[in-house]
Short mmCIF file of all heavy atoms in Angstrom, two decimals:
data_model
loop_
_atom_site.label_atom_id
_atom_site.label_comp_id
_atom_site.label_asym_id
_atom_site.label_seq_id
_atom_site.Cartn_x
_atom_site.Cartn_y
_atom_site.Cartn_z
N TYR A 1 4.67 -13.63 -6.14
CA TYR A 1 3.74 -12.53 -5.90
C TYR A 1 2.75 -12.88 -4.80
O TYR A 1 2.28 -14.01 -4.67
CB TYR A 1 2.98 -12.21 -7.21
CG TYR A 1 3.92 -11.71 -8.27
CD1 TYR A 1 4.55 -12.59 -9.13
CD2 TYR A 1 4.21 -10.35 -8.39
CE1 TYR A 1 5.44 -12.14 -10.10
CE2 TYR A 1 5.10 -9.89 -9.34
CZ TYR A 1 5.70 -10.79 -10.20
OH TYR A 1 6.58 -10.32 -11.13
N THR A 2 2.45 -11.85 -3.98
CA THR A 2 1.52 -12.00 -2.89
C THR A 2 0.53 -10.84 -2.94
O THR A 2 0.83 -9.76 -3.47
CB THR A 2 2.25 -11.98 -1.53
OG1 THR A 2 2.99 -10.76 -1.43
CG2 THR A 2 3.21 -13.16 -1.41
N PRO A 3 -0.69 -11.02 -2.37
CA PRO A 3 -1.67 -9.92 -2.37
C PRO A 3 -1.16 -8.74 -1.56
O PRO A 3 -0.44 -8.89 -0.57
CB PRO A 3 -2.90 -10.56 -1.72
CG PRO A 3 -2.71 -12.03 -1.86
CD PRO A 3 -1.24 -12.26 -1.81
N VAL A 4 -1.54 -7.52 -2.00
CA VAL A 4 -1.18 -6.31 -1.27
C VAL A 4 -1.79 -6.35 0.12
O VAL A 4 -1.14 -6.03 1.12
CB VAL A 4 -1.63 -5.07 -2.05
CG1 VAL A 4 -1.39 -3.80 -1.23
CG2 VAL A 4 -0.89 -4.99 -3.39
N THR A 5 -3.06 -6.73 0.21
CA THR A 5 -3.74 -6.94 1.49
C THR A 5 -4.45 -8.28 1.38
O THR A 5 -4.65 -8.81 0.29
CB THR A 5 -4.76 -5.83 1.78
OG1 THR A 5 -5.76 -5.84 0.74
CG2 THR A 5 -4.08 -4.46 1.80
N PRO A 6 -4.84 -8.88 2.49
CA PRO A 6 -5.45 -10.21 2.42
C PRO A 6 -6.63 -10.31 1.48
O PRO A 6 -6.83 -11.35 0.85
CB PRO A 6 -5.85 -10.48 3.88
CG PRO A 6 -4.90 -9.66 4.69
CD PRO A 6 -4.64 -8.43 3.88
N ASP A 7 -7.46 -9.25 1.35
CA ASP A 7 -8.65 -9.32 0.50
C ASP A 7 -8.47 -8.58 -0.82
O ASP A 7 -9.45 -8.41 -1.56
CB ASP A 7 -9.86 -8.74 1.26
CG ASP A 7 -10.17 -9.51 2.53
OD1 ASP A 7 -9.95 -10.75 2.51
OD2 ASP A 7 -10.61 -8.89 3.51
N SER A 8 -7.26 -8.13 -1.11
CA SER A 8 -7.07 -7.32 -2.31
C SER A 8 -6.84 -8.18 -3.54
O SER A 8 -6.15 -9.21 -3.46
CB SER A 8 -5.87 -6.38 -2.11
OG SER A 8 -5.57 -5.70 -3.32
N PRO A 9 -7.44 -7.79 -4.70
CA PRO A 9 -7.16 -8.52 -5.94
C PRO A 9 -5.80 -8.12 -6.53
O PRO A 9 -5.35 -8.73 -7.49
CB PRO A 9 -8.30 -8.09 -6.86
CG PRO A 9 -8.65 -6.72 -6.40
CD PRO A 9 -8.44 -6.73 -4.91
N LEU A 10 -5.17 -7.08 -5.96
CA LEU A 10 -3.88 -6.63 -6.47
C LEU A 10 -2.75 -7.42 -5.81
O LEU A 10 -2.86 -7.84 -4.65
CB LEU A 10 -3.69 -5.14 -6.19
CG LEU A 10 -4.75 -4.21 -6.79
CD1 LEU A 10 -4.46 -2.78 -6.40
CD2 LEU A 10 -4.81 -4.35 -8.31
N VAL A 11 -1.68 -7.64 -6.57
CA VAL A 11 -0.54 -8.39 -6.05
C VAL A 11 0.71 -7.56 -6.20
O VAL A 11 0.75 -6.60 -6.99
CB VAL A 11 -0.36 -9.73 -6.78
CG1 VAL A 11 -1.54 -10.65 -6.54
CG2 VAL A 11 -0.15 -9.52 -8.28
N GLU A 12 1.70 -7.91 -5.44
CA GLU A 12 3.00 -7.26 -5.54
C GLU A 12 4.08 -8.32 -5.43
O GLU A 12 3.86 -9.39 -4.85
CB GLU A 12 3.17 -6.22 -4.44
CG GLU A 12 3.17 -6.83 -3.04
CD GLU A 12 3.38 -5.79 -1.95
OE1 GLU A 12 3.60 -4.64 -2.30
OE2 GLU A 12 3.30 -6.16 -0.76
N ALA A 13 5.25 -8.03 -6.00
CA ALA A 13 6.36 -8.97 -5.96
C ALA A 13 6.98 -8.98 -4.57
O ALA A 13 7.24 -7.94 -3.99
CB ALA A 13 7.42 -8.59 -7.00
N LYS A 14 7.20 -10.16 -4.04
CA LYS A 14 7.86 -10.29 -2.76
C LYS A 14 9.36 -10.11 -2.96
O LYS A 14 9.95 -10.71 -3.85
CB LYS A 14 7.59 -11.67 -2.16
CG LYS A 14 8.19 -11.85 -0.77
CD LYS A 14 7.84 -13.20 -0.21
CE LYS A 14 8.45 -13.40 1.17
NZ LYS A 14 8.12 -14.71 1.75
N PRO A 15 10.00 -9.25 -2.16
CA PRO A 15 11.44 -9.02 -2.37
C PRO A 15 12.25 -10.27 -2.10
O PRO A 15 11.85 -11.14 -1.33
CB PRO A 15 11.77 -7.91 -1.37
CG PRO A 15 10.73 -8.04 -0.31
CD PRO A 15 9.47 -8.49 -1.02
N LEU A 16 13.38 -10.35 -2.77
CA LEU A 16 14.28 -11.48 -2.56
C LEU A 16 14.90 -11.39 -1.18
O LEU A 16 15.01 -10.32 -0.60
CB LEU A 16 15.39 -11.47 -3.63
CG LEU A 16 14.91 -11.69 -5.07
CD1 LEU A 16 16.09 -11.53 -6.01
CD2 LEU A 16 14.28 -13.05 -5.23
N PRO A 17 15.37 -12.54 -0.64
CA PRO A 17 16.01 -12.51 0.69
C PRO A 17 17.20 -11.57 0.69
O PRO A 17 18.04 -11.59 -0.20
CB PRO A 17 16.45 -13.98 0.88
CG PRO A 17 15.55 -14.77 0.00
CD PRO A 17 15.25 -13.89 -1.18
N GLY A 18 17.24 -10.70 1.75
CA GLY A 18 18.35 -9.76 1.87
C GLY A 18 18.12 -8.44 1.17
O GLY A 18 18.91 -7.51 1.32
N ALA A 19 17.04 -8.33 0.38
CA ALA A 19 16.80 -7.08 -0.34
C ALA A 19 16.16 -6.06 0.59
O ALA A 19 15.42 -6.40 1.52
CB ALA A 19 15.90 -7.33 -1.55
N VAL A 20 16.45 -4.77 0.36
CA VAL A 20 15.87 -3.69 1.17
C VAL A 20 14.46 -3.42 0.67
O VAL A 20 14.25 -3.22 -0.54
CB VAL A 20 16.73 -2.42 1.05
CG1 VAL A 20 16.09 -1.28 1.84
CG2 VAL A 20 18.14 -2.69 1.56
N PRO A 21 13.44 -3.45 1.54
CA PRO A 21 12.07 -3.23 1.08
C PRO A 21 11.88 -1.83 0.52
O PRO A 21 12.47 -0.86 0.99
CB PRO A 21 11.22 -3.45 2.34
CG PRO A 21 12.17 -3.21 3.48
CD PRO A 21 13.51 -3.66 3.01
N THR A 22 11.06 -1.72 -0.52
CA THR A 22 10.77 -0.43 -1.14
C THR A 22 9.70 0.30 -0.34
O THR A 22 8.67 -0.28 -0.01
CB THR A 22 10.27 -0.64 -2.58
OG1 THR A 22 11.28 -1.37 -3.27
CG2 THR A 22 10.01 0.69 -3.27
N PRO A 23 9.93 1.58 0.00
CA PRO A 23 8.90 2.33 0.75
C PRO A 23 7.60 2.38 -0.03
O PRO A 23 7.59 2.52 -1.25
CB PRO A 23 9.50 3.72 0.91
CG PRO A 23 10.97 3.53 0.72
CD PRO A 23 11.12 2.41 -0.24
N ARG A 24 6.47 2.25 0.68
CA ARG A 24 5.17 2.25 0.03
C ARG A 24 4.28 3.30 0.69
O ARG A 24 4.22 3.39 1.92
CB ARG A 24 4.54 0.86 0.16
CG ARG A 24 3.21 0.74 -0.58
CD ARG A 24 2.66 -0.68 -0.46
NE ARG A 24 2.28 -0.97 0.92
CZ ARG A 24 2.27 -2.18 1.44
NH1 ARG A 24 2.67 -3.19 0.73
NH2 ARG A 24 1.90 -2.37 2.70
N ARG A 25 3.64 4.10 -0.12
CA ARG A 25 2.72 5.11 0.41
C ARG A 25 1.43 4.45 0.86
O ARG A 25 0.94 3.53 0.23
CB ARG A 25 2.40 6.16 -0.66
CG ARG A 25 3.58 7.05 -1.02
CD ARG A 25 3.17 8.03 -2.10
NE ARG A 25 4.25 8.92 -2.45
CZ ARG A 25 4.51 10.06 -1.83
NH1 ARG A 25 3.74 10.44 -0.82
NH2 ARG A 25 5.51 10.83 -2.20
N GLU A 26 0.89 4.98 1.94
CA GLU A 26 -0.42 4.53 2.39
C GLU A 26 -1.48 5.14 1.48
O GLU A 26 -1.30 6.24 0.93
CB GLU A 26 -0.68 4.95 3.83
CG GLU A 26 0.26 4.27 4.83
CD GLU A 26 -0.08 4.67 6.24
OE1 GLU A 26 -1.06 5.44 6.40
OE2 GLU A 26 0.60 4.22 7.17
N PRO A 27 -2.65 4.50 1.32
CA PRO A 27 -3.71 5.08 0.50
C PRO A 27 -4.24 6.35 1.14
O PRO A 27 -4.17 6.54 2.37
CB PRO A 27 -4.77 3.97 0.47
CG PRO A 27 -4.50 3.14 1.68
CD PRO A 27 -3.02 3.19 1.89
N PRO A 28 -4.75 7.30 0.33
CA PRO A 28 -5.26 8.57 0.89
C PRO A 28 -6.44 8.33 1.82
O PRO A 28 -7.22 7.40 1.63
CB PRO A 28 -5.66 9.35 -0.36
CG PRO A 28 -5.87 8.32 -1.41
CD PRO A 28 -4.91 7.23 -1.12
N ARG A 29 -6.56 9.17 2.86
CA ARG A 29 -7.64 9.05 3.83
C ARG A 29 -8.71 10.09 3.53
O ARG A 29 -8.41 11.23 3.17
CB ARG A 29 -7.09 9.28 5.25
CG ARG A 29 -6.09 8.20 5.68
CD ARG A 29 -5.54 8.49 7.06
NE ARG A 29 -4.90 9.81 7.10
CZ ARG A 29 -4.25 10.28 8.16
NH1 ARG A 29 -4.17 9.54 9.26
NH2 ARG A 29 -3.69 11.47 8.14
N VAL A 30 -9.92 9.67 3.71
CA VAL A 30 -11.06 10.58 3.50
C VAL A 30 -11.48 11.15 4.86
O VAL A 30 -11.79 10.40 5.78
CB VAL A 30 -12.25 9.85 2.85
CG1 VAL A 30 -13.42 10.79 2.67
CG2 VAL A 30 -11.82 9.26 1.52
N ALA A 31 -11.45 12.48 5.00
CA ALA A 31 -11.83 13.13 6.27
C ALA A 31 -12.61 14.40 5.97
O ALA A 31 -12.10 15.30 5.31
CB ALA A 31 -10.61 13.46 7.10
N GLN A 32 -13.87 14.50 6.50
CA GLN A 32 -14.73 15.67 6.40
C GLN A 32 -14.84 16.15 4.94
O GLN A 32 -14.54 17.30 4.61
CB GLN A 32 -14.19 16.81 7.29
CG GLN A 32 -14.19 16.46 8.76
CD GLN A 32 -13.63 17.59 9.59
OE1 GLN A 32 -13.18 18.61 9.08
NE2 GLN A 32 -13.70 17.41 10.90
N ASN A 33 -15.30 15.17 4.11
CA ASN A 33 -15.61 15.48 2.71
C ASN A 33 -14.42 16.00 1.91
O ASN A 33 -14.58 16.64 0.87
CB ASN A 33 -16.76 16.51 2.60
CG ASN A 33 -18.03 15.98 3.22
OD1 ASN A 33 -18.27 14.77 3.16
ND2 ASN A 33 -18.82 16.86 3.81
N LYS A 34 -13.23 15.79 2.40
CA LYS A 34 -12.09 16.16 1.57
C LYS A 34 -10.99 15.10 1.76
O LYS A 34 -10.93 14.41 2.77
CB LYS A 34 -11.55 17.53 1.96
CG LYS A 34 -10.96 17.62 3.36
CD LYS A 34 -10.41 19.00 3.61
CE LYS A 34 -9.79 19.10 5.01
NZ LYS A 34 -9.21 20.43 5.24
N ILE A 35 -10.20 15.01 0.76
CA ILE A 35 -9.16 14.00 0.75
C ILE A 35 -7.88 14.62 1.25
O ILE A 35 -7.43 15.65 0.74
CB ILE A 35 -8.96 13.44 -0.66
CG1 ILE A 35 -10.26 12.78 -1.12
CG2 ILE A 35 -7.80 12.47 -0.69
CD1 ILE A 35 -10.18 12.24 -2.51
N GLU A 36 -7.34 14.00 2.26
CA GLU A 36 -6.07 14.46 2.80
C GLU A 36 -4.97 13.49 2.37
O GLU A 36 -5.16 12.29 2.43
CB GLU A 36 -6.13 14.51 4.33
CG GLU A 36 -7.15 15.48 4.87
CD GLU A 36 -7.17 15.49 6.38
OE1 GLU A 36 -6.38 14.70 6.97
OE2 GLU A 36 -7.95 16.23 6.97
N PRO A 37 -3.90 14.04 1.94
CA PRO A 37 -2.80 13.13 1.58
C PRO A 37 -2.27 12.42 2.81
O PRO A 37 -2.24 12.97 3.90
CB PRO A 37 -1.77 14.07 0.97
CG PRO A 37 -2.05 15.40 1.59
CD PRO A 37 -3.54 15.46 1.79
N ALA A 38 -1.93 11.20 2.59
CA ALA A 38 -1.38 10.41 3.71
C ALA A 38 0.04 10.84 4.01
O ALA A 38 0.77 11.27 3.12
CB ALA A 38 -1.39 8.92 3.34
#
């Protein structure tokens, strides 16, 4: 397991060699007092 981001307390499993990476959604962005889906 490795951190999701360098400063994140969350971790994720590193895929095995040769495995296809799982698509990951970006976190929602805040713009003009409303949340827009990424």
Side-chain angles (χ1 to χ4, degrees):
Y1 296 89
T2 57
V4 174
T5 61
D7 299 326
S8 173
L10 301 178
V11 295
E12 64 179 355
K14 183 178 179 180
L16 295 175
V20 178
T22 303
R24 185 178 67 208
R25 291 179 179 273
E26 294 183 2
R29 295 178 302 186
V30 179
Q32 297 179 356
N33 299 327
K34 65 178 181 178
I35 299 178
E36 297 179 0

